[in-house]
Amino acid sequence: MKRYFGRKLLIYALTFFIAVTINWMIPRFMPGNPVDIMISRAGLRGSAVTQMYSYYMDAFGLDQPIWKQYLNFWIAIFHGDLGTSIFLFPTPVIQVIKDALPYDVALLLPSILLSWFAGNKFGALAARNKNLDNTLLPIGYILTAVPYMWLGILLAWVFCIVIRIFPLGGGYDFSMQPSYTWDFYWSLFNHWVLPFLSLFIVQFGGWAIGMRNLIIYELEADYSHFLEALGAPRKLIRNYAYNNAILPQVTGVALQIGVIVTGALATEVVFAYPGIGYLILQAIHNQDYFLLQGCFLFVVIGVLIANFVVDIAYILIDPRTRAGMTGGAE
Amino acid sequence: MKKKNELLYFALRNTKLRIGMAVLLFFLLLMIIGPHLTPYKPADFVGPSSAPPSKEFWFGTTTFGEDVFTQFVYGLAPTFLVGIVGGVIGTLLGMLIGFVAGYRGGAVDEVLNILTNVVLTIPVLALLLVLVAYIPVRGVLIEAVFIGLTSWPWAARAIRSQTFSLRTRDFVGLAKMSGMSSMKIIFTEIAPNMASYLFMTFILMFGNSILNAATLDFLGLGPTEGVSMGTMMNLAVQWSALMLGVWWWFIPPGIAITCIVGSLYVMNVGLDEVFNPKLREM
């Protein structure tokens, strides 16, 4: 188990290292002076230009030797210094992202967990019921093929415009100030429902189909036939099949996490939900590069943490890894 | 020769494969014929603003008065291009790394495994995020290459484990004894034994690339010029097609992507049944 964890941590550390290095390299090894490019694209005027120019020169430290620039970059990151946002000048990037982060967690965590549990249960049910299977299978395949944002657009159109049940746009009502009142929480909840639903529905289809296929595969395995021949109750065989099928589904979360995060970012854009996805859109429109790079770093960190959690979950569930064998989720 | 005919026989009888193929062919045809059916270009301002679908404008017009049908049929080509280029690059890389890691084993396997895991954890979107800031003009091909370069890990893993189980078989040992080079063994002994699997990997990659590209386009990280399904949705949302109720602007591109990707997934299941006699419906 130590070996298993050691390997995983090494991979995560390496990933983080590579991600940060890419983040550092791209502006420096692109043709042209990044500072000039940024200033000219940001469309600043007058004294703002000179102010930003000296700020950027200082931030990039382009007059220093390359290795020193690289070192400084790392030091800055560990101090939580990701630069200053242009579009929300003079707010530091880290602050902008910190304000957006809770909205992402509020969308991602419940949608991943709930869709995973619901999808697994439903898929297992479908595997033993012909009628349910015949309806679930086509719907599931359609759902896995639907782009996240399009489902979001459809939901927004139907529930916000055609039948006006939910509000559209923002994390809470624009007329409100954030406060600890029930009205405010209610508003938060109302704005959260649809983005959550669109993430939930697409993921649900994927998990359900995956579970259905795995259960059918397990029920065809030798041990199932053997149990059947011994006269074991069907329920017992189903349970064994389910326990075996759940493992690949846990690994599936790790494989899917990047896709889910990307989907969430796109969904936020549809609903103008003030998470990191919406920030990215703003940053692109305003040519705010420090903000973009900050978002990049946080997306990578988020995915790494999620992967790590899945690893721990896998160990807790799979008796083989617990016993110290290094198999399973490699 | 006989084996091929048998596969073809089952392929033509498989309902899933037939449905998937039909949908895919329909959109391919639309991509080829479509541009000849419309007198306009995607960026032409040709009609009234936000006109609903009519005889003149089949899919209605955008808030700027562009013809949605024109944008739709012109946008299909980049969508397919991204799918094919991204799919081919992803599958080839996955094959290369999977074969070498699985066949060589040992230290090579270890290093490639770490590489696979690293690429697996960095999301495509995040990489593009940084790049997009510094590449002023991006084309469909660049996007496709990026998607291909980042989507191979799961395929590499799967191919690696397949290769791993094949390499201890007798026929591989025989080939080794006869003095064949590793590359030759991989491509003449191992690869043909999992040809069906590789083909299915490509089909899945094809679909995933299209889906990925649509998301990137929608976030504004896609090609800077031209239309695609994703950019249509992006513009529709940006110019409040939702609030104005201009549903004909954002419904068609989503349907197209869902149908194309869905038909690829269904084809994949159909192919599985064709290649694997155990799964055939009798």
Side-chain angles (χ1 to χ4, degrees):
Chain A
M1 186 145 111
K2 230 178 196 170
R3 200 181 104 90
Y4 174 80
F5 254 116
R7 271 181 69 94
K8 287 286 177 187
L9 283 177
L10 172 76
I11 286 166
Y12 296 147
L14 204 64
T15 310
F16 185 67
F17 173 76
I18 291 174
V20 171
T21 307
I22 291 174
N23 215 357
W24 174 83
M25 260 168 67
I26 287 172
R28 283 171 182 77
F29 292 91
M30 281 293 171
N33 182 344
V35 178
D36 286 343
I37 296 174
M38 283 190 179
I39 300 274
S40 70
R41 286 224 222 134
L44 297 168
R45 274 187 226 117
S47 61
V49 173
T50 42
Q51 199 183 345
M52 280 317 278
Y53 194 86
S54 58
Y55 170 74
Y56 277 138
M57 279 316 262
D58 198 37
F60 277 95
L62 288 178
D63 42 351
Q64 286 169 330
I66 286 278
W67 65 268
K68 187 117 198 245
Q69 290 181 32
Y70 187 58
L71 208 67
N72 287 344
F73 192 74
W74 273 102
I75 294 171
I77 281 180
F78 281 116
H79 283 99
D81 176 14
L82 300 175
T84 306
S85 164
I86 302 177
F87 121 85
L88 292 166
F89 195 80
T91 324
V93 166
I94 189 99
Q95 189 58 45
V96 179
I97 292 179
K98 251 189 209 157
D99 292 342
L101 214 52
Y103 292 102
D104 285 283
V105 177
L107 275 189
L108 281 167
L109 216 55
S111 76
I112 293 175
L113 289 178
L114 289 176
S115 69
W116 192 80
F117 280 112
N120 280 339
K121 285 279 171 232
F122 212 75
L125 258 173
R128 66 185 92 150
N129 182 327
K130 199 78 198 150
N131 287 331
L132 190 62
D133 195 29
N134 284 340
T135 45
L136 175 87
L137 207 57
I139 293 176
Y141 277 114
I142 293 171
L143 282 184
T144 45
V146 170
Y148 279 89
M149 64 280 178
W150 191 60
L151 191 73
I153 294 175
L154 283 187
L155 287 179
W157 179 54
V158 172
F159 289 103
C160 305
I161 308 295
V162 180
I163 41 172
R164 300 163 175 275
I165 303 179
F166 289 108
L168 177 60
Y172 49 85
D173 203 286
F174 289 125
S175 63
M176 283 183 168
Q177 286 291 324
S179 56
Y180 298 103
T181 58
W182 286 115
D183 277 355
F184 182 69
Y185 285 130
W186 180 241
S187 178
L188 270 181
F189 175 75
N190 265 330
H191 284 81
W192 169 85
V193 171
L194 286 181
F196 161 79
L197 261 187
S198 50
L199 283 175
F200 174 85
I201 293 173
V202 178
Q203 291 176 56
F204 173 82
W207 299 132
I209 285 222
M211 194 59 180
R212 172 209 170 258
N213 293 344
L214 283 167
I215 288 271
I216 288 180
Y217 177 81
E218 292 293 339
L219 288 179
E220 288 295 311
D222 288 341
Y223 73 88
S224 300
H225 287 308
F226 181 61
L227 276 175
E228 220 168 331
L230 286 181
R234 290 197 78 79
K235 198 162 179 262
L236 184 77
I237 306 177
R238 300 270 185 211
N239 275 342
Y240 276 125
Y242 187 81
N243 286 341
N244 275 317
I246 208 89
L247 287 173
Q249 289 286 82
V250 175
T251 328
V253 177
L255 288 173
Q256 282 292 312
I257 210 89
V259 180
I260 297 171
V261 168
T262 314
L265 300 181
T267 308
E268 283 169 14
V269 171
V270 174
F271 292 95
Y273 201 71
I276 289 191
Y278 193 59
L279 271 190
I280 289 173
L281 191 76
Q282 305 283 346
I284 292 172
H285 280 215
N286 295 292
Q287 313 278 358
D288 193 340
Y289 301 113
F290 279 110
L291 188 55
L292 262 185
Q293 297 195 348
C295 291
F296 165 79
L297 210 61
F298 267 80
V299 170
V300 172
I301 292 175
V303 171
L304 286 180
I305 292 175
N307 270 289
F308 190 61
V309 172
V310 172
D311 284 340
I312 293 175
Y314 198 95
I315 288 174
L316 290 179
I317 295 174
D318 187 359
R320 282 170 304 183
T321 39
R322 233 178 343 196
M325 282 164 68
T326 52
E330 287 256 27
Chain B
M1 205 54 221
K2 192 168 169 284
K3 175 122 190 288
K4 255 190 193 148
N5 287 335
E6 188 194 318
L7 280 183
L8 201 65
Y9 171 77
F10 280 108
L12 290 177
R13 270 173 42 126
N14 188 291
T15 332
K16 292 189 183 101
L17 201 56
R18 269 157 55 178
I19 293 175
M21 282 291 251
V23 175
L24 201 64
L25 277 178
F26 170 76
F27 279 98
L28 272 172
L29 275 178
L30 196 62
M31 174 190 94
I32 297 164
I33 303 172
H36 301 290
L37 294 179
T38 161
Y40 316 117
K41 287 265 175 266
D44 287 352
F45 305 109
V46 290
S49 160
S50 323
S54 62
K55 241 185 210 155
E56 201 185 341
F57 304 107
W58 293 351
F59 286 6
T61 61
T62 68
T63 40
F64 307 111
E66 298 146 315
D67 184 32
V68 176
F69 180 74
T70 310
Q71 295 195 338
F72 181 76
V73 289
Y74 275 91
L76 282 173
T79 303
F80 275 109
L81 187 69
V82 165
I84 290 179
V85 175
V88 167
I89 294 177
T91 311
L92 285 181
L93 271 175
M95 276 168 65
L96 185 74
I97 290 167
F99 280 142
V100 173
Y103 186 73
R104 293 271 169 172
V108 178
D109 182 28
E110 197 80 358
V111 170
L112 288 178
N113 194 17
I114 288 179
L115 177 74
T116 309
N117 278 302
V118 167
V119 179
L120 194 68
T121 25
I122 299 183
V124 197
L125 167 106
L127 263 183
L128 271 165
L129 214 60
V130 207
L131 269 173
V132 97
Y134 295 96
I135 304 182
V137 183
R138 301 177 300 277
V140 185
L141 270 180
I142 293 192
E143 185 184 33
V145 169
F146 263 98
I147 290 174
L149 284 180
T150 44
S151 62
W152 54 266
W154 68 265
R157 267 187 189 190
I159 293 171
R160 172 191 169 272
S161 60
Q162 292 259 334
T163 312
F164 212 71
S165 69
L166 280 178
R167 88 173 169 158
T168 45
R169 298 279 189 86
D170 288 343
F171 63 88
V172 176
L174 202 64
K176 261 188 210 161
M177 271 192 279
S178 71
M180 270 189 185
S181 71
S182 303
M183 273 296 138
K184 201 163 176 209
I185 294 177
I186 288 175
F187 285 108
T188 58
E189 303 292 328
I190 293 179
N193 270 294
M194 43 197 281
S196 57
Y197 191 81
L198 297 175
F199 184 62
M200 281 158 60
T201 306
F202 169 71
I203 298 274
L204 278 185
M205 283 264 185
F206 188 177
N208 287 344
S209 298
I210 291 179
L211 218 47
N212 269 333
T215 313
L216 292 175
D217 291 358
F218 180 73
L219 282 172
L221 298 167
T224 36
E225 267 169 43
V227 280
S228 73
M229 297 296 119
T231 47
M232 278 176 80
M233 284 191 259
N234 177 8
L235 289 174
V237 168
Q238 253 185 59
W239 298 100
S240 359
L242 272 174
M243 320 266 188
L244 302 171
V246 191
W247 52 266
W248 48 88
W249 194 357
F250 54 79
I251 299 270
I255 289 183
I257 291 177
T258 309
C259 287
I260 295 172
V261 178
S263 69
L264 285 167
Y265 286 171
V266 170
M267 268 173 71
N268 190 54
V269 180
L271 281 173
D272 203 8
E273 290 173 1
V274 170
F275 289 132
N276 188 347
K278 268 193 200 163
L279 295 172
R280 274 177 203 155
E281 289 169 28
M282 282 299 149

